[in-house]
Amino acid sequence: MKTLLTSILVLLSYCTYSQCYISTYSGNQRVLKVDGDYVYTYSGNQRQYKFDGEYLVTYNTYKRLLKFDGQYIIQYSTNKRLAKMQGEYLIEYNGNKRIAKLDCPGARSAMAATAYFFL
């Protein structure tokens, strides 16, 4: 049941493109905004990343950075798990520590937060 619910949330996150904010877990400070296919810095409103299908790519060079696999965010170049999504939180994979709060939990927000905090 939990896997089915997670799968449904992931599919919905690919289908719905709305404005969402990503905040630090410890200070609850907004750092990123996900709007459509683009990820912006919250303070400067500059494009940082773009979504290309199931991948997160750099905005300027379109280099693939991350992909989403179930609940895990995987670095494209090394195929290494960096983080996982657990409800509305982004969790560090190795340390199992909450890193960020996702206003709109889903694959897009989780990948954007992972890129910001781990790359």
Side-chain angles (χ1 to χ4, degrees):
M1 184 66 167
K2 185 176 181 181
T3 305
L4 177 63
L5 182 59
T6 302
S7 299
I8 290 171
L9 287 173
V10 169
L11 289 174
L12 287 175
S13 71
Y14 283 121
C15 298
T16 60
Y17 305 118
S18 62
Q19 191 169 327
C20 297
Y21 297 101
I22 298 164
S23 306
T24 60
Y25 176 72
S26 58
N28 204 25
Q29 176 185 5
R30 287 183 174 174
V31 292
L32 293 176
K33 175 176 72 171
V34 178
D35 192 7
D37 284 338
Y38 298 99
V39 180
Y40 300 86
T41 58
Y42 180 73
S43 59
N45 206 31
Q46 293 187 324
R47 288 183 180 170
Q48 296 294 308
Y49 309 107
K50 182 181 184 333
F51 294 101
D52 181 23
E54 64 182 279
Y55 300 100
L56 181 71
V57 300
T58 58
Y59 175 67
N60 294 330
T61 62
Y62 288 91
K63 178 183 174 188
R64 287 183 176 174
L65 299 173
L66 301 170
K67 62 182 177 177
F68 193 78
D69 182 24
Q71 66 181 4
Y72 299 103
I73 299 89
I74 299 173
Q75 188 171 15
Y76 180 77
S77 62
T78 63
N79 208 30
K80 178 182 171 187
R81 291 179 177 175
L82 297 178
K84 64 181 177 178
M85 187 178 68
Q86 192 174 60
E88 63 182 2
Y89 299 105
L90 182 73
I91 310 292
E92 181 181 17
Y93 180 71
N94 288 331
N96 207 26
K97 182 172 94 173
R98 289 182 178 176
I99 301 298
K101 183 178 179 196
L102 313 172
D103 283 358
C104 304
R108 288 179 168 236
S109 293
M111 284 193 293
T114 301
Y116 181 81
F117 289 105
F118 296 105
L119 300 181

Short mmCIF file of all heavy atoms in Angstrom, two decimals, residues 19-84:
data_model
loop_
_atom_site.label_atom_id
_atom_site.label_comp_id
_atom_site.label_asym_id
_atom_site.label_seq_id
_atom_site.Cartn_x
_atom_site.Cartn_y
_atom_site.Cartn_z
N GLN A 19 3.88 26.15 -8.74
CA GLN A 19 4.95 26.82 -8.02
C GLN A 19 5.07 26.24 -6.62
O GLN A 19 4.11 26.20 -5.87
CB GLN A 19 4.64 28.31 -7.95
CG GLN A 19 5.76 29.14 -7.47
CD GLN A 19 5.47 30.61 -7.69
OE1 GLN A 19 4.81 30.97 -8.64
NE2 GLN A 19 5.96 31.42 -6.80
N CYS A 20 6.28 25.79 -6.28
CA CYS A 20 6.53 25.18 -4.98
C CYS A 20 7.82 25.74 -4.41
O CYS A 20 8.73 26.10 -5.15
CB CYS A 20 6.69 23.67 -5.11
SG CYS A 20 5.22 22.84 -5.69
N TYR A 21 7.90 25.77 -3.10
CA TYR A 21 9.08 26.28 -2.43
C TYR A 21 9.79 25.18 -1.66
O TYR A 21 9.16 24.25 -1.16
CB TYR A 21 8.71 27.41 -1.47
CG TYR A 21 8.12 28.60 -2.18
CD1 TYR A 21 6.75 28.81 -2.21
CD2 TYR A 21 8.94 29.49 -2.87
CE1 TYR A 21 6.21 29.88 -2.89
CE2 TYR A 21 8.41 30.57 -3.55
CZ TYR A 21 7.05 30.76 -3.56
OH TYR A 21 6.52 31.83 -4.23
N ILE A 22 11.11 25.32 -1.57
CA ILE A 22 11.94 24.39 -0.82
C ILE A 22 12.63 25.19 0.27
O ILE A 22 13.24 26.22 -0.01
CB ILE A 22 12.96 23.71 -1.74
CG1 ILE A 22 12.21 22.90 -2.81
CG2 ILE A 22 13.92 22.85 -0.95
CD1 ILE A 22 13.03 22.49 -3.98
N SER A 23 12.53 24.70 1.50
CA SER A 23 13.10 25.39 2.65
C SER A 23 14.11 24.52 3.35
O SER A 23 14.04 23.29 3.28
CB SER A 23 12.00 25.75 3.65
OG SER A 23 10.97 26.48 3.04
N THR A 24 15.04 25.16 4.05
CA THR A 24 15.98 24.40 4.87
C THR A 24 15.20 23.79 6.02
O THR A 24 14.23 24.37 6.51
CB THR A 24 17.10 25.29 5.43
OG1 THR A 24 16.53 26.31 6.22
CG2 THR A 24 17.94 25.89 4.31
N TYR A 25 15.61 22.62 6.46
CA TYR A 25 14.91 21.97 7.56
C TYR A 25 15.19 22.66 8.89
O TYR A 25 14.29 22.92 9.67
CB TYR A 25 15.28 20.49 7.65
CG TYR A 25 14.64 19.81 8.84
CD1 TYR A 25 13.28 19.55 8.84
CD2 TYR A 25 15.39 19.46 9.95
CE1 TYR A 25 12.68 18.95 9.92
CE2 TYR A 25 14.80 18.85 11.03
CZ TYR A 25 13.45 18.61 11.02
OH TYR A 25 12.85 18.01 12.11
N SER A 26 16.45 23.00 9.13
CA SER A 26 16.82 23.55 10.43
C SER A 26 16.34 24.98 10.62
O SER A 26 15.83 25.33 11.68
CB SER A 26 18.34 23.48 10.62
OG SER A 26 18.98 24.19 9.58
N GLY A 27 16.48 25.83 9.62
CA GLY A 27 16.12 27.23 9.80
C GLY A 27 14.80 27.62 9.17
O GLY A 27 14.35 28.75 9.31
N ASN A 28 14.19 26.70 8.43
CA ASN A 28 12.93 26.95 7.74
C ASN A 28 13.02 28.19 6.84
O ASN A 28 12.09 28.98 6.75
CB ASN A 28 11.76 27.06 8.72
CG ASN A 28 10.45 26.74 8.04
OD1 ASN A 28 10.39 26.03 7.06
ND2 ASN A 28 9.38 27.30 8.58
N GLN A 29 14.16 28.37 6.19
CA GLN A 29 14.39 29.50 5.29
C GLN A 29 14.23 29.02 3.85
O GLN A 29 14.84 28.03 3.44
CB GLN A 29 15.80 30.05 5.50
CG GLN A 29 16.16 31.16 4.57
CD GLN A 29 17.61 31.60 4.74
OE1 GLN A 29 18.36 31.01 5.52
NE2 GLN A 29 18.00 32.61 4.02
N ARG A 30 13.41 29.71 3.07
CA ARG A 30 13.21 29.33 1.67
C ARG A 30 14.48 29.56 0.87
O ARG A 30 15.10 30.63 0.97
CB ARG A 30 12.07 30.13 1.05
CG ARG A 30 10.71 29.69 1.54
CD ARG A 30 9.62 30.44 0.85
NE ARG A 30 8.33 29.90 1.24
CZ ARG A 30 7.17 30.44 0.88
NH1 ARG A 30 7.15 31.53 0.13
NH2 ARG A 30 6.05 29.90 1.27
N VAL A 31 14.87 28.56 0.08
CA VAL A 31 16.10 28.67 -0.71
C VAL A 31 15.85 28.49 -2.21
O VAL A 31 16.59 29.03 -3.03
CB VAL A 31 17.18 27.67 -0.23
CG1 VAL A 31 17.69 28.05 1.14
CG2 VAL A 31 16.68 26.24 -0.25
N LEU A 32 14.82 27.73 -2.58
CA LEU A 32 14.53 27.47 -3.99
C LEU A 32 13.05 27.59 -4.28
O LEU A 32 12.21 27.41 -3.39
CB LEU A 32 14.97 26.06 -4.40
CG LEU A 32 16.46 25.74 -4.42
CD1 LEU A 32 16.66 24.27 -4.75
CD2 LEU A 32 17.20 26.61 -5.41
N LYS A 33 12.75 27.84 -5.56
CA LYS A 33 11.37 27.85 -6.03
C LYS A 33 11.32 26.97 -7.28
O LYS A 33 12.14 27.14 -8.20
CB LYS A 33 10.94 29.27 -6.35
CG LYS A 33 9.56 29.37 -6.97
CD LYS A 33 9.14 30.81 -7.18
CE LYS A 33 9.92 31.43 -8.31
NZ LYS A 33 9.42 32.75 -8.70
N VAL A 34 10.40 26.03 -7.33
CA VAL A 34 10.19 25.19 -8.51
C VAL A 34 8.94 25.71 -9.19
O VAL A 34 7.87 25.76 -8.59
CB VAL A 34 10.01 23.70 -8.12
CG1 VAL A 34 9.75 22.86 -9.35
CG2 VAL A 34 11.23 23.19 -7.36
N ASP A 35 9.09 26.13 -10.44
CA ASP A 35 7.97 26.69 -11.19
C ASP A 35 8.00 26.12 -12.60
O ASP A 35 8.89 26.45 -13.39
CB ASP A 35 8.08 28.21 -11.21
CG ASP A 35 6.81 28.88 -11.73
OD1 ASP A 35 5.81 28.18 -11.94
OD2 ASP A 35 6.83 30.11 -11.92
N GLY A 36 7.07 25.23 -12.89
CA GLY A 36 7.05 24.58 -14.19
C GLY A 36 8.25 23.68 -14.37
O GLY A 36 8.55 22.86 -13.51
N ASP A 37 8.97 23.86 -15.46
CA ASP A 37 10.14 23.03 -15.75
C ASP A 37 11.44 23.62 -15.22
O ASP A 37 12.52 23.10 -15.50
CB ASP A 37 10.30 22.83 -17.27
CG ASP A 37 9.30 21.82 -17.81
OD1 ASP A 37 8.82 20.99 -17.03
OD2 ASP A 37 9.03 21.86 -19.03
N TYR A 38 11.36 24.71 -14.48
CA TYR A 38 12.57 25.40 -14.03
C TYR A 38 12.66 25.50 -12.52
O TYR A 38 11.65 25.55 -11.82
CB TYR A 38 12.61 26.82 -14.63
CG TYR A 38 12.66 26.80 -16.13
CD1 TYR A 38 11.51 27.00 -16.87
CD2 TYR A 38 13.85 26.57 -16.80
CE1 TYR A 38 11.54 26.96 -18.25
CE2 TYR A 38 13.90 26.53 -18.18
CZ TYR A 38 12.74 26.74 -18.90
OH TYR A 38 12.78 26.69 -20.26
N VAL A 39 13.91 25.55 -12.04
CA VAL A 39 14.20 25.72 -10.62
C VAL A 39 14.94 27.06 -10.48
O VAL A 39 15.94 27.29 -11.16
CB VAL A 39 15.08 24.58 -10.07
CG1 VAL A 39 15.37 24.80 -8.60
CG2 VAL A 39 14.41 23.23 -10.30
N TYR A 40 14.41 27.92 -9.62
CA TYR A 40 14.96 29.25 -9.41
C TYR A 40 15.51 29.38 -7.99
O TYR A 40 14.99 28.74 -7.07
CB TYR A 40 13.86 30.32 -9.55
CG TYR A 40 13.19 30.35 -10.89
CD1 TYR A 40 12.10 29.53 -11.17
CD2 TYR A 40 13.62 31.24 -11.87
CE1 TYR A 40 11.47 29.58 -12.41
CE2 TYR A 40 12.99 31.29 -13.11
CZ TYR A 40 11.91 30.46 -13.37
OH TYR A 40 11.30 30.51 -14.58
N THR A 41 16.51 30.26 -7.83
CA THR A 41 16.91 30.61 -6.47
C THR A 41 15.79 31.46 -5.89
O THR A 41 15.15 32.23 -6.61
CB THR A 41 18.22 31.41 -6.46
OG1 THR A 41 18.06 32.59 -7.24
CG2 THR A 41 19.38 30.57 -6.96
N TYR A 42 15.53 31.31 -4.62
CA TYR A 42 14.42 32.05 -4.01
C TYR A 42 14.75 33.54 -3.89
O TYR A 42 13.93 34.39 -4.21
CB TYR A 42 14.09 31.48 -2.64
CG TYR A 42 12.95 32.21 -1.97
CD1 TYR A 42 11.65 32.05 -2.42
CD2 TYR A 42 13.18 33.08 -0.91
CE1 TYR A 42 10.61 32.73 -1.84
CE2 TYR A 42 12.15 33.76 -0.32
CZ TYR A 42 10.86 33.58 -0.78
OH TYR A 42 9.82 34.27 -0.21
N SER A 43 15.96 33.85 -3.46
CA SER A 43 16.29 35.25 -3.23
C SER A 43 16.57 36.01 -4.53
O SER A 43 16.12 37.14 -4.70
CB SER A 43 17.50 35.37 -2.29
OG SER A 43 18.61 34.70 -2.85
N GLY A 44 17.30 35.42 -5.45
CA GLY A 44 17.67 36.12 -6.68
C GLY A 44 16.78 35.85 -7.86
O GLY A 44 16.88 36.50 -8.89
N ASN A 45 15.90 34.87 -7.75
CA ASN A 45 14.97 34.49 -8.81
C ASN A 45 15.70 34.18 -10.13
O ASN A 45 15.25 34.53 -11.20
CB ASN A 45 13.91 35.56 -9.02
CG ASN A 45 12.64 34.97 -9.61
OD1 ASN A 45 12.30 33.82 -9.36
ND2 ASN A 45 11.94 35.76 -10.39
N GLN A 46 16.87 33.52 -10.04
CA GLN A 46 17.63 33.14 -11.22
C GLN A 46 17.47 31.65 -11.49
O GLN A 46 17.47 30.85 -10.55
CB GLN A 46 19.11 33.47 -11.03
CG GLN A 46 19.38 34.95 -10.97
CD GLN A 46 20.86 35.23 -10.95
OE1 GLN A 46 21.63 34.48 -10.36
NE2 GLN A 46 21.26 36.31 -11.59
N ARG A 47 17.35 31.31 -12.76
CA ARG A 47 17.21 29.89 -13.13
C ARG A 47 18.51 29.15 -12.84
O ARG A 47 19.58 29.57 -13.24
CB ARG A 47 16.87 29.75 -14.60
CG ARG A 47 15.46 30.17 -14.92
CD ARG A 47 15.16 29.95 -16.37
NE ARG A 47 13.79 30.36 -16.64
CZ ARG A 47 13.28 30.47 -17.84
NH1 ARG A 47 14.02 30.19 -18.90
NH2 ARG A 47 12.04 30.84 -18.01
N GLN A 48 18.38 28.02 -12.15
CA GLN A 48 19.53 27.19 -11.80
C GLN A 48 19.50 25.85 -12.54
O GLN A 48 20.52 25.39 -13.01
CB GLN A 48 19.56 26.92 -10.29
CG GLN A 48 19.75 28.16 -9.47
CD GLN A 48 21.12 28.75 -9.69
OE1 GLN A 48 22.12 28.07 -9.58
NE2 GLN A 48 21.16 30.03 -10.01
N TYR A 49 18.32 25.22 -12.56
CA TYR A 49 18.17 23.89 -13.13
C TYR A 49 16.92 23.83 -13.99
O TYR A 49 16.04 24.67 -13.89
CB TYR A 49 18.06 22.83 -12.03
CG TYR A 49 19.15 22.91 -10.99
CD1 TYR A 49 18.89 23.39 -9.71
CD2 TYR A 49 20.46 22.51 -11.28
CE1 TYR A 49 19.89 23.47 -8.76
CE2 TYR A 49 21.45 22.59 -10.33
CZ TYR A 49 21.16 23.07 -9.07
OH TYR A 49 22.16 23.15 -8.14
N LYS A 50 16.86 22.79 -14.82
CA LYS A 50 15.70 22.55 -15.68
C LYS A 50 15.37 21.06 -15.61
O LYS A 50 16.26 20.23 -15.47
CB LYS A 50 16.03 22.94 -17.12
CG LYS A 50 14.88 22.77 -18.09
CD LYS A 50 15.32 23.18 -19.48
CE LYS A 50 14.25 23.15 -20.52
NZ LYS A 50 13.14 22.29 -20.40
N PHE A 51 14.10 20.73 -15.71
CA PHE A 51 13.67 19.34 -15.75
C PHE A 51 13.58 18.91 -17.21
O PHE A 51 12.99 19.60 -18.04
CB PHE A 51 12.33 19.16 -15.05
CG PHE A 51 12.40 19.43 -13.59
CD1 PHE A 51 11.96 20.63 -13.07
CD2 PHE A 51 12.94 18.50 -12.72
CE1 PHE A 51 12.05 20.89 -11.71
CE2 PHE A 51 13.04 18.74 -11.36
CZ PHE A 51 12.58 19.94 -10.86
N ASP A 52 14.20 17.77 -17.50
CA ASP A 52 14.19 17.21 -18.84
C ASP A 52 13.68 15.78 -18.71
O ASP A 52 14.45 14.85 -18.46
CB ASP A 52 15.60 17.25 -19.44
CG ASP A 52 15.65 16.70 -20.85
OD1 ASP A 52 14.60 16.69 -21.53
OD2 ASP A 52 16.73 16.26 -21.28
N GLY A 53 12.37 15.62 -18.84
CA GLY A 53 11.77 14.32 -18.64
C GLY A 53 11.94 13.89 -17.20
O GLY A 53 11.54 14.58 -16.28
N GLU A 54 12.60 12.77 -16.98
CA GLU A 54 12.80 12.26 -15.63
C GLU A 54 14.10 12.73 -15.00
O GLU A 54 14.45 12.32 -13.90
CB GLU A 54 12.75 10.73 -15.63
CG GLU A 54 13.87 10.09 -16.43
CD GLU A 54 13.77 8.58 -16.47
OE1 GLU A 54 14.20 7.93 -15.50
OE2 GLU A 54 13.26 8.08 -17.48
N TYR A 55 14.83 13.61 -15.69
CA TYR A 55 16.13 14.07 -15.21
C TYR A 55 16.10 15.54 -14.80
O TYR A 55 15.33 16.32 -15.35
CB TYR A 55 17.20 13.89 -16.29
CG TYR A 55 17.36 12.46 -16.73
CD1 TYR A 55 16.78 12.01 -17.90
CD2 TYR A 55 18.09 11.56 -15.96
CE1 TYR A 55 16.92 10.69 -18.30
CE2 TYR A 55 18.23 10.24 -16.36
CZ TYR A 55 17.65 9.82 -17.52
OH TYR A 55 17.78 8.52 -17.91
N LEU A 56 17.00 15.90 -13.90
CA LEU A 56 17.26 17.29 -13.58
C LEU A 56 18.58 17.64 -14.27
O LEU A 56 19.57 16.92 -14.10
CB LEU A 56 17.38 17.50 -12.07
CG LEU A 56 17.63 18.95 -11.65
CD1 LEU A 56 16.37 19.79 -11.87
CD2 LEU A 56 18.03 19.01 -10.20
N VAL A 57 18.59 18.70 -15.06
CA VAL A 57 19.78 19.10 -15.81
C VAL A 57 20.18 20.52 -15.43
O VAL A 57 19.37 21.28 -14.91
CB VAL A 57 19.54 19.00 -17.34
CG1 VAL A 57 19.20 17.58 -17.75
CG2 VAL A 57 18.47 19.97 -17.80
N THR A 58 21.44 20.87 -15.72
CA THR A 58 21.87 22.24 -15.48
C THR A 58 21.17 23.14 -16.48
O THR A 58 20.89 22.74 -17.61
CB THR A 58 23.39 22.39 -15.63
OG1 THR A 58 23.77 21.97 -16.93
CG2 THR A 58 24.14 21.59 -14.58
N TYR A 59 20.89 24.36 -16.08
CA TYR A 59 20.14 25.27 -16.95
C TYR A 59 20.95 25.69 -18.18
O TYR A 59 20.43 25.70 -19.28
CB TYR A 59 19.70 26.51 -16.16
CG TYR A 59 19.03 27.53 -17.03
CD1 TYR A 59 17.79 27.25 -17.60
CD2 TYR A 59 19.62 28.74 -17.31
CE1 TYR A 59 17.17 28.17 -18.42
CE2 TYR A 59 19.01 29.67 -18.12
CZ TYR A 59 17.78 29.38 -18.67
OH TYR A 59 17.17 30.29 -19.48
N ASN A 60 22.21 26.00 -18.00
CA ASN A 60 23.01 26.51 -19.12
C ASN A 60 23.55 25.43 -20.04
O ASN A 60 23.55 25.60 -21.25
CB ASN A 60 24.18 27.35 -18.59
CG ASN A 60 23.70 28.60 -17.91
OD1 ASN A 60 22.66 29.14 -18.27
ND2 ASN A 60 24.44 29.06 -16.93
N THR A 61 24.02 24.33 -19.51
CA THR A 61 24.69 23.32 -20.33
C THR A 61 23.86 22.06 -20.58
O THR A 61 24.29 21.21 -21.35
CB THR A 61 26.01 22.89 -19.66
OG1 THR A 61 25.72 22.29 -18.39
CG2 THR A 61 26.95 24.06 -19.48
N TYR A 62 22.74 21.92 -19.93
CA TYR A 62 21.87 20.75 -20.05
C TYR A 62 22.57 19.44 -19.70
O TYR A 62 22.28 18.39 -20.25
CB TYR A 62 21.24 20.66 -21.45
CG TYR A 62 20.18 21.71 -21.65
CD1 TYR A 62 20.50 22.96 -22.19
CD2 TYR A 62 18.88 21.48 -21.28
CE1 TYR A 62 19.54 23.93 -22.35
CE2 TYR A 62 17.90 22.44 -21.44
CZ TYR A 62 18.23 23.66 -21.97
OH TYR A 62 17.28 24.62 -22.12
N LYS A 63 23.52 19.50 -18.79
CA LYS A 63 24.20 18.31 -18.30
C LYS A 63 23.28 17.60 -17.30
O LYS A 63 22.77 18.21 -16.37
CB LYS A 63 25.51 18.70 -17.61
CG LYS A 63 26.26 17.54 -17.04
CD LYS A 63 27.51 18.00 -16.31
CE LYS A 63 28.16 16.83 -15.61
NZ LYS A 63 29.25 17.27 -14.74
N ARG A 64 23.07 16.31 -17.49
CA ARG A 64 22.21 15.55 -16.58
C ARG A 64 22.88 15.42 -15.22
O ARG A 64 24.03 15.01 -15.11
CB ARG A 64 21.92 14.16 -17.13
CG ARG A 64 20.96 14.18 -18.28
CD ARG A 64 20.64 12.79 -18.75
NE ARG A 64 19.64 12.85 -19.80
CZ ARG A 64 19.23 11.80 -20.49
NH1 ARG A 64 19.74 10.61 -20.23
NH2 ARG A 64 18.31 11.93 -21.42
N LEU A 65 22.12 15.77 -14.18
CA LEU A 65 22.65 15.74 -12.82
C LEU A 65 22.04 14.63 -11.99
O LEU A 65 22.75 13.86 -11.35
CB LEU A 65 22.39 17.08 -12.12
CG LEU A 65 23.01 18.31 -12.74
CD1 LEU A 65 22.52 19.55 -12.02
CD2 LEU A 65 24.52 18.21 -12.68
N LEU A 66 20.71 14.57 -11.97
CA LEU A 66 20.01 13.67 -11.06
C LEU A 66 18.85 12.98 -11.75
O LEU A 66 18.30 13.49 -12.72
CB LEU A 66 19.46 14.46 -9.86
CG LEU A 66 20.46 15.22 -9.00
CD1 LEU A 66 19.73 16.13 -8.04
CD2 LEU A 66 21.35 14.26 -8.25
N LYS A 67 18.48 11.83 -11.20
CA LYS A 67 17.26 11.15 -11.61
C LYS A 67 16.57 10.63 -10.36
O LYS A 67 17.17 10.49 -9.30
CB LYS A 67 17.55 10.03 -12.60
CG LYS A 67 18.42 8.92 -12.07
CD LYS A 67 18.69 7.87 -13.15
CE LYS A 67 19.62 6.80 -12.62
NZ LYS A 67 19.85 5.74 -13.60
N PHE A 68 15.29 10.35 -10.49
CA PHE A 68 14.48 9.89 -9.37
C PHE A 68 14.14 8.43 -9.58
O PHE A 68 13.73 8.03 -10.66
CB PHE A 68 13.20 10.73 -9.30
CG PHE A 68 12.44 10.57 -8.02
CD1 PHE A 68 12.86 11.22 -6.87
CD2 PHE A 68 11.32 9.78 -7.95
CE1 PHE A 68 12.16 11.09 -5.68
CE2 PHE A 68 10.62 9.63 -6.77
CZ PHE A 68 11.04 10.28 -5.63
N ASP A 69 14.34 7.62 -8.53
CA ASP A 69 14.08 6.19 -8.62
C ASP A 69 13.32 5.76 -7.37
O ASP A 69 13.93 5.58 -6.32
CB ASP A 69 15.38 5.42 -8.77
CG ASP A 69 15.17 3.93 -8.93
OD1 ASP A 69 14.08 3.51 -9.38
OD2 ASP A 69 16.10 3.17 -8.62
N GLY A 70 12.01 5.63 -7.49
CA GLY A 70 11.20 5.26 -6.32
C GLY A 70 11.17 6.40 -5.33
O GLY A 70 10.60 7.44 -5.60
N GLN A 71 11.81 6.23 -4.20
CA GLN A 71 11.89 7.31 -3.22
C GLN A 71 13.29 7.91 -3.15
O GLN A 71 13.55 8.83 -2.40
CB GLN A 71 11.48 6.82 -1.83
CG GLN A 71 12.41 5.79 -1.23
CD GLN A 71 11.95 5.32 0.13
OE1 GLN A 71 10.90 5.70 0.61
NE2 GLN A 71 12.76 4.49 0.77
N TYR A 72 14.21 7.41 -3.98
CA TYR A 72 15.61 7.83 -3.93
C TYR A 72 15.96 8.79 -5.06
O TYR A 72 15.47 8.66 -6.18
CB TYR A 72 16.54 6.62 -4.01
CG TYR A 72 16.34 5.67 -2.86
CD1 TYR A 72 15.63 4.49 -3.04
CD2 TYR A 72 16.83 5.97 -1.60
CE1 TYR A 72 15.43 3.63 -1.97
CE2 TYR A 72 16.62 5.11 -0.53
CZ TYR A 72 15.92 3.94 -0.73
OH TYR A 72 15.71 3.10 0.32
N ILE A 73 16.86 9.73 -4.76
CA ILE A 73 17.40 10.63 -5.76
C ILE A 73 18.82 10.16 -6.03
O ILE A 73 19.63 10.04 -5.11
CB ILE A 73 17.37 12.09 -5.30
CG1 ILE A 73 15.93 12.55 -5.04
CG2 ILE A 73 17.99 13.00 -6.36
CD1 ILE A 73 15.44 12.31 -3.69
N ILE A 74 19.12 9.89 -7.30
CA ILE A 74 20.37 9.27 -7.69
C ILE A 74 21.17 10.23 -8.57
O ILE A 74 20.62 10.84 -9.49
CB ILE A 74 20.09 7.96 -8.45
CG1 ILE A 74 19.35 7.00 -7.50
CG2 ILE A 74 21.36 7.35 -9.00
CD1 ILE A 74 18.86 5.74 -8.13
N GLN A 75 22.46 10.34 -8.28
CA GLN A 75 23.35 11.15 -9.10
C GLN A 75 23.55 10.43 -10.43
O GLN A 75 23.92 9.26 -10.47
CB GLN A 75 24.68 11.38 -8.39
CG GLN A 75 25.57 12.36 -9.08
CD GLN A 75 26.78 12.72 -8.24
OE1 GLN A 75 27.11 12.04 -7.27
NE2 GLN A 75 27.43 13.80 -8.61
N TYR A 76 23.31 11.13 -11.52
CA TYR A 76 23.33 10.51 -12.84
C TYR A 76 24.72 9.98 -13.21
O TYR A 76 24.85 8.87 -13.71
CB TYR A 76 22.85 11.51 -13.89
CG TYR A 76 22.82 10.96 -15.28
CD1 TYR A 76 21.80 10.09 -15.67
CD2 TYR A 76 23.82 11.26 -16.19
CE1 TYR A 76 21.78 9.55 -16.94
CE2 TYR A 76 23.79 10.73 -17.47
CZ TYR A 76 22.77 9.88 -17.84
OH TYR A 76 22.75 9.35 -19.10
N SER A 77 25.76 10.76 -12.96
CA SER A 77 27.10 10.38 -13.41
C SER A 77 27.69 9.19 -12.65
O SER A 77 28.44 8.40 -13.21
CB SER A 77 28.05 11.58 -13.31
OG SER A 77 28.15 12.00 -11.96
N THR A 78 27.35 9.05 -11.37
CA THR A 78 27.94 7.97 -10.57
C THR A 78 26.96 6.87 -10.21
O THR A 78 27.35 5.84 -9.66
CB THR A 78 28.50 8.54 -9.25
OG1 THR A 78 27.42 9.09 -8.49
CG2 THR A 78 29.57 9.58 -9.51
N ASN A 79 25.68 7.11 -10.47
CA ASN A 79 24.61 6.18 -10.11
C ASN A 79 24.57 5.92 -8.59
O ASN A 79 24.21 4.84 -8.13
CB ASN A 79 24.74 4.86 -10.87
CG ASN A 79 23.40 4.19 -11.06
OD1 ASN A 79 22.37 4.85 -11.17
ND2 ASN A 79 23.40 2.87 -11.09
N LYS A 80 24.96 6.92 -7.82
CA LYS A 80 25.02 6.83 -6.36
C LYS A 80 23.79 7.50 -5.74
O LYS A 80 23.40 8.59 -6.16
CB LYS A 80 26.30 7.53 -5.88
CG LYS A 80 26.49 7.56 -4.41
CD LYS A 80 27.77 8.33 -4.06
CE LYS A 80 27.85 8.56 -2.57
NZ LYS A 80 28.97 9.43 -2.23
N ARG A 81 23.19 6.86 -4.75
CA ARG A 81 22.07 7.45 -4.03
C ARG A 81 22.56 8.58 -3.14
O ARG A 81 23.47 8.40 -2.33
CB ARG A 81 21.37 6.41 -3.16
CG ARG A 81 20.64 5.36 -3.95
CD ARG A 81 19.99 4.36 -3.04
NE ARG A 81 19.23 3.38 -3.80
CZ ARG A 81 18.64 2.33 -3.28
NH1 ARG A 81 18.70 2.11 -1.97
NH2 ARG A 81 17.95 1.50 -4.03
N LEU A 82 21.96 9.76 -3.30
CA LEU A 82 22.34 10.92 -2.50
C LEU A 82 21.34 11.22 -1.40
O LEU A 82 21.72 11.64 -0.31
CB LEU A 82 22.49 12.16 -3.39
CG LEU A 82 23.56 12.11 -4.46
CD1 LEU A 82 23.54 13.39 -5.29
CD2 LEU A 82 24.92 11.90 -3.84
N ALA A 83 20.06 11.05 -1.72
CA ALA A 83 19.02 11.42 -0.76
C ALA A 83 17.77 10.59 -1.04
O ALA A 83 17.69 9.88 -2.04
CB ALA A 83 18.70 12.91 -0.90
N LYS A 84 16.82 10.71 -0.12
CA LYS A 84 15.53 10.06 -0.33
C LYS A 84 14.43 11.00 0.13
O LYS A 84 14.64 11.88 0.97
CB LYS A 84 15.44 8.71 0.38
CG LYS A 84 15.50 8.77 1.88
CD LYS A 84 15.43 7.37 2.48
CE LYS A 84 15.58 7.43 3.98
NZ LYS A 84 15.47 6.11 4.59
#
